[in-house]
């Protein structure tokens, strides 16, 4: 089972649903976002590591980066004339010499549906 989102003008899916009418594959598209760690988030995260609990600041930052990467993917697909992206895959990577940054990358196949 996969994740999908169907708005009135664009379709996103982690799988290729069998009941979707694909008229044209347009190519692989991607979007990326890189977030930097904030010293205050780091400090409070360290406290949470000791006492337990969720790191809300990091979760919000990661969610924002994921949304930005997805927006980039959709923009790239629309530039090709697509109205959907199938086979979406999210990847996360810690970057930087001191691991102070995180990258969120998303890729998929742009399609013209219908």
């Amino acid at each position: 089972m996969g994740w999908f989102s169907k708005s009135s003008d664009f379709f996103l899916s982690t799988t290729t649903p069998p009941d979707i009418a694909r008229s044209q594959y347009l190519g692989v598209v991607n979007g990326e976002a890189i977030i930097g760690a904030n010293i205050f988030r780091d400090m409070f995260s360290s406290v949470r590591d000791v006492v337990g609990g969720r790191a809300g600041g990091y979760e919000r930052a990661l969610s924002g980066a994921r949304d930005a990467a997805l927006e980039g993917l959709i923009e790239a697909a629309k530039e090709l004339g697509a109205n959907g992206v199938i086979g979406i895959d999210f990847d996360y990577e810690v970057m930087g010499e001191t691991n102070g940054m995180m990258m969120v990358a998303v890729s998929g196949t742009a399609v013209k549906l219908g």
Side-chain angles (χ1 to χ4, degrees):
M1 174 137 340
W3 170 86
F4 73 94
S5 170
K6 186 175 183 180
S7 68
S8 59
D9 65 337
F10 209 83
F11 180 85
L12 298 169
S13 177
T14 56
T15 62
T16 304
D19 58 340
I20 295 296
R22 295 173 301 281
S23 62
Q24 187 177 12
Y25 289 95
L26 301 173
V28 174
V29 290
N30 55 55
E32 299 87 16
I34 298 174
I35 57 172
N38 177 303
I39 189 167
F40 295 111
R41 266 195 304 236
D42 285 346
M43 185 173 61
F44 290 119
S45 178
S46 296
V47 171
R48 286 214 169 70
D49 285 346
V50 173
V51 298
R54 295 173 64 168
Y58 275 120
E59 288 176 353
R60 284 186 295 280
L62 185 57
S63 177
R66 188 174 43 248
D67 291 344
L70 200 51
E71 286 175 24
L73 173 91
I74 292 169
E75 287 176 29
K78 285 182 176 181
E79 285 177 12
L80 295 176
N83 61 357
V85 179
I86 58 175
I88 292 175
D89 178 55
F90 287 92
D91 292 306
Y92 302 88
E93 185 70 35
V94 176
M95 302 174 66
E97 237 177 76
T98 59
N99 295 335
M101 301 166 102
M102 177 169 242
M103 178 183 71
V104 178
V106 60
S107 61
T109 302
V111 293
K112 188 162 225 164
L113 302 172

